[in-house]
Amino acid sequence: MDLSRDRITIRQPDDFHVHLRDGDMLKRVVRSTADIFRRAVVMPNLSPPINSLQEAFSYRERILSSLGVGVNFTPLMTAYLTDDLSPNVLEDGYREEIFTAAKLYPLNSTTNSSRGVSDLRLIDSLFETMQRIDMPLLVHGESVEPDVDVFDREKVFIERNLVPLLKRYPNLRVVLEHITTREAVQFVESSPSRLAATITPHHLHINRNAMFLGGLRSDFYCLPVVKRETHRLALRKAATSGNPRFFLGTDSAPHSRKDKETSCGCAGIFNAPYALESYIEVFDQENALDKFEAFASKNGAAFYGLPFNSGSITLVREDQVVPNTLLGETTEPMDKGLVPFHAGETLHWSLVKND
Ligand code: DOR
Ligand code: ZN
């Protein structure tokens, strides 16, 4: 890492949690990720979900063929766990390096989770297999039982589901994805090193007030939903602490305007285009620029057992205004482009890409 007050060069980073979608949306958004990150862990919540080797293989091909020439980007594919998935799919997919990890969505917890897991005890054979072959389990950590307040879903998931799971499978490698609470931070900090967490840019920047600022602001609606300020502050401390158990996962999740601007809008924030500038702003504000490379480019790779990237990227302290919309209009009705996170705001760092 090369660091001065106004300029920082770090190893090329990876995004350990991203939604690249499929079809036209994939083509629109993929370069926002692939131009910056060397690798990304790609979420499998397509409709239908990715849960066979063939589907993962062909989805990876579609991603690679949508990149254009000269883009050096590796999508790391994940399997979508369902109640009836065969353990052989995970074992074969992991050994053949088609799957990097498997993703657990509790049933009906978020976008395209209607095939998610209805009861963790139903998939013990999957957890046993994953523990034996050391395949990482990626967790959407929310309890969606009707008695649970939406703002408590993560905390309750940890108590009701994650604690028992880790007791039963103490050697399972687990990433608690996109953590949003002080309780999650504390839980990761106090657990053995086989548990880690990703943190998104939006959960570091906004609290739940943002969703209601002057009206109902669907562009700040994501899942797990943003929480109160004390939680945001705990996340900022964790991300910038240098603790290797916390690392970058944007959870960039684009939806069309039609799907955001409706009476029942989709959850997801499209943050890929300015993700690094967004993260570094936090590290700068927290006086922790020296910890930025570990969070963005080392901790995740180390946890996954991947080599560090050899390329580098440079960011300079230079203002830039984020456009209100990006990536143009399509023929879809009401498609006025995609709204990036930080739309209309000034960010204080800018990216200079190295080779
Ligand atoms: O906000 C979110 N959007 N959270 C998720 O868990 C899923 C994602 C999506 O796929 O849209
Ligand atoms: Zn996600």
Side-chain angles (χ1 to χ4, degrees), residues 17 19 21 43 45 103 105 109-112 140 142 178 202 221-224 251-255 266-269:
H17 184 131
H19 298 267
R21 310 302 193 205
M43 291 300 121
N45 63 332
K103 179 72 188 279
Y105 289 103
S109 53
T110 185
T111 308
N112 292 340
H140 183 104
E142 290 198 282
H178 41 52
H202 41 283
Y221 173 56
C222 63
L223 287 171
D251 198 16
S252 183
H255 290 281
C266 290
I269 295 181

Side-chain angles (χ1 to χ4, degrees), residues 10-16 39 173-175 188 193 195-199 237-249 283 288 290-309:
I10 60 169
R11 279 180 190 276
Q12 195 179 359
D14 303 305
D15 183 352
F16 283 94
R39 298 170 292 211
R173 204 154 31 127
V174 178
V175 184
V188 171
S193 62
L195 178 67
T198 52
I199 306 182
K237 218 165 151 236
T240 59
S241 65
N243 184 332
R245 243 92 74 63
F246 299 107
F247 50 84
L248 188 157
F283 281 74
D290 59 321
K291 306 286 195 317
F292 185 56
E293 184 179 48
F295 179 81
S297 313
K298 289 182 165 174
N299 297 348
F303 187 82
Y304 273 80
L306 297 168
F308 291 157
N309 296 323

Side-chain angles (χ1 to χ4, degrees), residues 72-314:
N72 195 5
F73 172 70
T74 304
L76 303 172
M77 310 311 288
T78 56
Y80 182 113
L81 301 183
T82 61
D83 287 354
D84 55 6
L85 186 70
S86 158
N88 296 338
V89 172
L90 297 182
E91 184 149 9
D92 294 347
Y94 192 58
R95 293 216 189 283
E96 288 178 31
E97 298 187 359
I98 290 181
F99 291 129
T100 294
K103 179 72 188 279
L104 168 67
Y105 289 103
L107 180 65
N108 295 329
S109 53
T110 185
T111 308
N112 292 340
S113 59
S114 61
R115 299 272 318 278
V117 175
S118 62
D119 179 347
L120 298 201
R121 293 199 168 257
L122 292 177
I123 59 164
D124 272 339
S125 63
L126 301 180
F127 296 139
E128 270 159 30
T129 301
M130 293 178 72
Q131 175 170 260
R132 176 168 51 77
I133 65 178
D134 199 23
M135 179 180 195
L137 172 71
L138 316 183
V139 179
H140 183 104
E142 290 198 282
S143 271
V144 290
E145 286 87 34
D147 67 308
V148 181
D149 186 280
V150 66
F151 290 98
D152 294 335
R153 282 178 174 177
E154 183 174 278
K155 174 172 163 283
V156 173
F157 181 89
I158 292 171
E159 293 160 6
R160 285 189 194 169
N161 301 106
L162 192 55
V163 168
L165 180 71
L166 297 179
K167 272 211 181 97
R168 286 189 292 136
Y169 300 98
N171 293 320
L172 193 58
R173 204 154 31 127
V174 178
V175 184
L176 187 53
E177 298 289 339
H178 41 52
I179 58 169
T180 62
T181 57
R182 187 181 45 211
E183 288 82 1
V185 167
Q186 287 166 353
F187 185 68
V188 171
E189 284 171 347
S190 62
S191 298
S193 62
R194 305 192 68 73
L195 178 67
T198 52
I199 306 182
T200 76
H202 41 283
H203 290 103
L204 296 171
H205 277 277
I206 57 174
N207 64 31
R208 62 194 193 176
N209 288 356
M211 285 187 295
F212 308 105
L213 206 67
L216 198 52
R217 304 283 294 264
S218 60
D219 290 321
F220 298 123
Y221 173 56
C222 63
L223 287 171
V225 72
V226 287
K227 307 293 192 302
R228 40 167 91 242
E229 181 65 357
T230 48
H231 297 291
R232 186 181 78 97
L233 296 178
L235 294 170
R236 286 169 73 99
K237 218 165 151 236
T240 59
S241 65
N243 184 332
R245 243 92 74 63
F246 299 107
F247 50 84
L248 188 157
T250 62
D251 198 16
S252 183
H255 290 281
S256 69
R257 296 314 294 154
K258 178 167 66 62
D259 291 340
K260 290 298 274 181
E261 294 176 13
T262 171
S263 61
C264 187
C266 290
I269 295 181
F270 179 46
N271 60 30
Y274 295 88
L276 271 197
E277 295 93 324
S278 177
Y279 278 118
I280 198 170
E281 189 122 342
V282 174
F283 281 74
D284 193 14
Q285 289 162 352
E286 299 288 331
N287 278 319
L289 286 175
D290 59 321
K291 306 286 195 317
F292 185 56
E293 184 179 48
F295 179 81
S297 313
K298 289 182 165 174
N299 297 348
F303 187 82
Y304 273 80
L306 297 168
F308 291 157
N309 296 323
S310 53
S312 64
I313 52 123
T314 297

